[in-house]
Amino acid sequence: MNRPQRKNNPDAVRARLIECAARLIVDDGLSALTLENVAREAAVSKGGLLHHYHGKNALIDGLFEEVVDWFDSQVENALEPEETAPARFSKAYLRVVAAIDMSVPEERRLAVLMLMLSSDPHYCARWNQWVEARLQRHAKTDLSPFARTLRLAADGLWLSDLGGGPDSSPSARREILAFLEDIDATGAMLANSPHEGGQ
Amino acid sequence: MNRPQRKNNPDAVRARLIECAARLIVDDGLSALTLENVAREAAVSKGGLLHHYHGKNALIDGLFEEVVDWFDSQVENALEPEETAPARFSKAYLRVVAAIDMSVPEERRLAVLMLMLSSDPHYCARWNQWVEARLQRHAKTDLSPFARTLRLAADGLWLSDLGGGPDSSPSARREILAFLEDIDATGAMLANSPHEGGQ
DNA sequence: GCTAAAAAACCGTCCAGACGGTATGTACTG
DNA sequence: CAGTACATACCGTCTGGACGGTTTTTTAGC
């Protein structure tokens, strides 16, 4: 995968740049995401950064795609085998979000996504594209109110995680998950309503 | 309360500054919140702005408090009369969020809150303080998993509103609300679990 | 009630620093 | 040698904020 014949392989530098950008955003807020800060954190000069990413937008775009791809693969892995399971996609969605441990740097990436989503309409639109594409693929299972509610709760959890809200503690999180599973078990009102997508 | 004997009462100017700052953030993004822009929108010079708010932080702080106070009063008004109703606070919380109409300028304020929350850890902490204070006040009714889930879903709805996600359409929203109410009606698993607050 | 002093409200300008981005130079690799 | 991967130095712009001046309102003395 990597090319150890190079002393400093540029892929690693790129990855480090993305990683540091993510860390900066999560820990110090969006305003801390400056080229200089990222470069310093990644132990690279600003010129070096701009060699890999032609401008700040390119860096952010790279970060965005990185995170979305990561989340996408995570959800894909969390999907149940039965393809007709109700709320199959939304459950996986929730599971991935709920499993995030903010103390693990790798998993803070999602917080980055949240930040970017709420700060820039452009990324918001791109995210919505992803969600709607997935929703379309799982239209048979994930348009029910229950599925929607699951995703909404996941988003709330996600947001709560970001700020360390009172519902992000492990115990509170466990309770919520258990509650949602109980509802699922009762099996009430899981019928897919024929609600047209989009707004 | 106000002093109408003044021709241009400064309270009105301050309110206008806050209002314009909010509008700028929501419509044009966080980066558009500059002293000059705010001053121009409010038909006040930059010096005038700095006379009322000693620095940008003071302005943002004022905005933050304004919005939190507004949300607080909205939730207070949405509270059911019966003080022992399960998830009393969380239901009001959800009701207020769900009732927000983003086309009404007044109600876009909440979007401001979201923006600030996600951009600055400091405001995140202050928001958590508010939530925890309210949670403590309503500890008897709003620590159940159901209540937590309600607030989480509200947050998700809130976020979805901001970005115009696929779950922010009126019909989808109605479905979700109805679903949540059905769960409430079944009355299952509403017992307050003795979960210690905080993290 | 009149007036002068004080305070508050407000304006326009200027400046230091930060930030994104460019241009140029250099070392390493193949 | 050519191209990649960086580093260094620098530039133009924007922004926050300081500062001094001007108008309006309030207060105080008489």
Side-chain angles (χ1 to χ4, degrees):
Chain A
M1 205 59 71
N2 41 3
R3 277 157 282 168
Q5 63 266 30
R6 256 190 192 276
K7 213 166 57 177
N8 276 347
N9 84 329
D11 290 346
V13 175
R14 256 188 288 267
R16 224 168 53 223
L17 285 168
I18 292 287
E19 180 63 38
C20 291
R23 212 190 54 71
L24 272 172
I25 290 187
V26 175
D27 292 347
D28 304 339
L30 271 168
S31 58
L33 188 75
T34 68
L35 294 184
E36 280 175 356
N37 281 352
V38 174
R40 182 165 25 78
E41 289 278 319
V44 172
S45 72
K46 204 166 73 168
L49 194 168
L50 284 162
H51 169 71
H52 291 291
Y53 296 98
H54 299 324
K56 195 177 185 180
N57 277 341
L59 176 68
I60 298 180
D61 270 15
L63 176 55
F64 182 79
E65 240 159 287
E66 239 274 329
V67 178
V68 171
D69 284 353
W70 178 80
F71 185 67
D72 182 66
S73 67
Q74 292 288 112
V75 172
E76 203 68 27
N77 287 341
L79 244 33
E80 291 178 35
E82 304 111 294
E83 294 197 0
T84 60
R88 182 173 175 243
F89 166 69
S90 301
K91 277 185 196 172
Y93 186 106
L94 174 61
R95 241 175 271 133
V96 171
V97 173
I100 288 177
D101 180 359
M102 287 293 282
S103 62
V104 178
E106 260 270 322
E107 308 196 351
R108 292 200 193 183
R109 299 160 181 248
L110 244 202
V112 176
L113 227 181
M114 170 67 72
L115 267 300
M116 297 173 72
L117 250 45
S118 49
S119 66
D120 194 331
H122 173 242
Y123 293 110
C124 230
R126 283 173 68 177
W127 173 253
N128 286 338
Q129 277 182 351
W130 181 85
V131 173
E132 273 166 34
R134 290 293 158 152
L135 238 42
Q136 203 162 353
R137 187 190 298 181
H138 299 92
K140 293 272 182 282
T141 55
D142 285 88
L143 290 181
S144 67
F146 174 61
R148 289 183 191 279
T149 305
L150 277 188
R151 288 199 311 277
L152 245 37
D155 289 346
L157 206 56
W158 185 11
L159 182 66
S160 184
D161 259 351
L162 207 171
D167 296 322
S168 66
S169 69
S171 52
R173 189 187 299 221
R174 250 190 317 256
E175 281 180 22
I176 292 160
L177 266 320
F179 174 71
L180 253 11
E181 264 179 39
D182 280 352
I183 295 177
D184 187 20
T186 65
M189 52 212 96
L190 286 184
N192 252 332
S193 71
H195 166 259
E196 71 277 16
Q199 55 173 17
Chain B
M1 202 62 70
N2 41 359
R3 280 155 282 169
Q5 62 265 33
R6 255 187 192 277
K7 209 168 58 179
N8 277 346
N9 78 333
D11 290 347
V13 175
R14 256 188 289 267
R16 225 170 50 224
L17 286 168
I18 292 288
E19 181 64 36
C20 292
R23 215 189 53 72
L24 273 171
I25 289 187
V26 175
D27 292 348
D28 304 339
L30 271 168
S31 58
L33 188 74
T34 68
L35 295 184
E36 278 177 358
N37 281 353
V38 174
R40 182 165 27 77
E41 290 278 319
V44 172
S45 74
K46 206 163 75 166
L49 195 166
L50 283 162
H51 169 73
H52 290 291
Y53 295 98
H54 300 323
K56 195 177 187 182
N57 278 340
L59 176 67
I60 298 179
D61 271 17
L63 175 55
F64 181 79
E65 241 159 285
E66 240 275 328
V67 178
V68 170
D69 284 353
W70 178 80
F71 185 68
D72 182 66
S73 67
Q74 292 289 112
V75 172
E76 202 69 26
N77 286 343
L79 244 32
E80 291 178 35
E82 305 110 293
E83 295 196 0
T84 60
R88 184 173 174 241
F89 166 69
S90 302
K91 277 185 195 172
Y93 186 105
L94 174 61
R95 240 176 271 134
V96 171
V97 173
I100 289 178
D101 181 0
M102 288 293 281
S103 62
V104 178
E106 259 271 323
E107 308 194 352
R108 293 197 192 184
R109 299 161 180 247
L110 247 201
V112 176
L113 228 181
M114 172 65 76
L115 266 300
M116 297 173 72
L117 250 45
S118 51
S119 66
D120 196 330
H122 173 241
Y123 293 110
C124 229
R126 282 175 66 177
W127 174 254
N128 286 337
Q129 277 183 350
W130 180 84
V131 174
E132 273 167 33
R134 289 293 159 152
L135 238 42
Q136 202 163 353
R137 186 190 299 181
H138 299 92
K140 292 273 184 284
T141 55
D142 284 87
L143 291 180
S144 68
F146 175 61
R148 290 184 190 278
T149 304
L150 277 188
R151 288 198 312 277
L152 246 36
D155 289 345
L157 207 57
W158 183 13
L159 181 68
S160 185
D161 258 351
L162 209 168
D167 297 322
S168 67
S169 70
S171 53
R173 188 187 298 220
R174 250 191 315 258
E175 281 182 19
I176 292 160
L177 266 320
F179 174 70
L180 253 11
E181 264 179 40
D182 280 353
I183 294 177
D184 188 20
T186 65
M189 51 211 100
L190 287 183
N192 252 330
S193 70
H195 165 259
E196 71 278 15
Q199 53 173 16

